[in-house]
Amino acid sequence: MPDLLSPLFQRPDVLPAFSPRQWEDVLGQARCTQLLPRLTLQWDQSGWIEQVPAGPRPHLTSSLCILERQRQEVLWELEAIGRALQGLGVPVVLLKGTAYLRTGLPPAAGRVFSDIDILVPKNRIEDAEGALLGAGWISDERDAYNQMYYRQWMHEIPPLRHVHRQSVIDLHHTIAPPTSRFRVDGARLLERIRPIEEGSLFFVLAPEDMVLHSAVHLFQEGEFDRGLRDLLDLRDLLKHFEKSEPDFWRTLVQRAKELGLQVPLHHALFHVQRLFGIAPPPGMAQEVDGLRSHSLGRRMMAGLLDIALRPNHPSCDTRWTGLARWLLYVRSHYLRMPLPLVLTHLARKAWMQRFPKQEPKPAA
């Protein structure tokens, strides 16, 4: 069966007429992409919830209850993070979903959270980690290799989980690994950050950097389970900023060139336009098209991403889905690390999956 979910966001003014089997599939697709609350909000705002058949309707309405509870939990956690870090005297930059929620940006609507992403200056990341440890967040990562992998090669430290509330923080110093082909000096991002409100500890990235971060995260991480959600985020950011920011598209393209992020921005804009029809203004079309040269590799990537960005649900699978996702997964590691490092890292991961460490049994 096809991707039933994307057309629902392409045509938000149309309530579909699904069969019971199609309703089952579309609910599964929405869950695996974390878009069920967003879909529900879209229909609720159109006054259509009561027109949804009785079988699937409770799944939609219950997702809104979960969403509201989670939003309150995230806002509360942000207050706790602020108390923990306020003595450091450094800006704390909210990233992605947390930034959207705290500033009321359109992608916050229906947004489900699995963690809280924040960024601090690289030379203060150990201080920030120590302050969070003192407030109850600890690392679950016990493997020495993985600890080294994060701290030496990645753009963040291992995730921190609160010992009581189980909330998870991803503490970054930039938006892409230092070994990546798309590495970005975090200090350059900090030059353009904006405070959430006057006197606040919390900041957000500049609008153009928000879009670039979302594009880099989607097309370099190699994890496309929530790819459709990330594309919707990009669509909403582009629509919002082109209205609220003077000459936004020109600033976005220029910033991508400054940071060396033309390739991920190209892929992001191509697929946002393909799925949702969001295109640059006529005066910028040629500059956007010039972000990457026309080549066989560009066309191959477009085809692979077309497959991988569908919901990761059995109803959307084709004979090429597994291969496309695997190729993009390998590509993501190749982009993030030099080849010798990639081979070593992937070989170790394969070994650990084949022969996982056994936790020692407690003494009787």
Side-chain angles (χ1 to χ4, degrees), residues 23 29 47 58 90 94 101 125 131 145 149 174 181 191 205 225 237 246-247 252 263 269 293-294 318 322 329 342 346:
W23 272 112
Q29 293 175 20
V90 299
L94 305 181
L101 175 62
I125 198 164
Y145 170 84
Y149 168 76
T174 185
R181 297 198 179 185
E191 291 172 356
L205 297 175
D225 292 359
L237 290 175
D247 208 15
L252 174 63
V263 172
L269 297 181
S293 61
H294 294 272
T318 71
Y329 174 77
V342 171
L346 291 180

Side-chain angles (χ1 to χ4, degrees), residues 24-30 32 310-317 325:
E24 181 180 344
D25 285 335
V26 80
L27 290 176
Q29 293 175 20
C32 73
R310 298 169 188 170
N312 189 15
H313 188 266
S315 62
C316 295
D317 286 350
R325 290 180 181 273

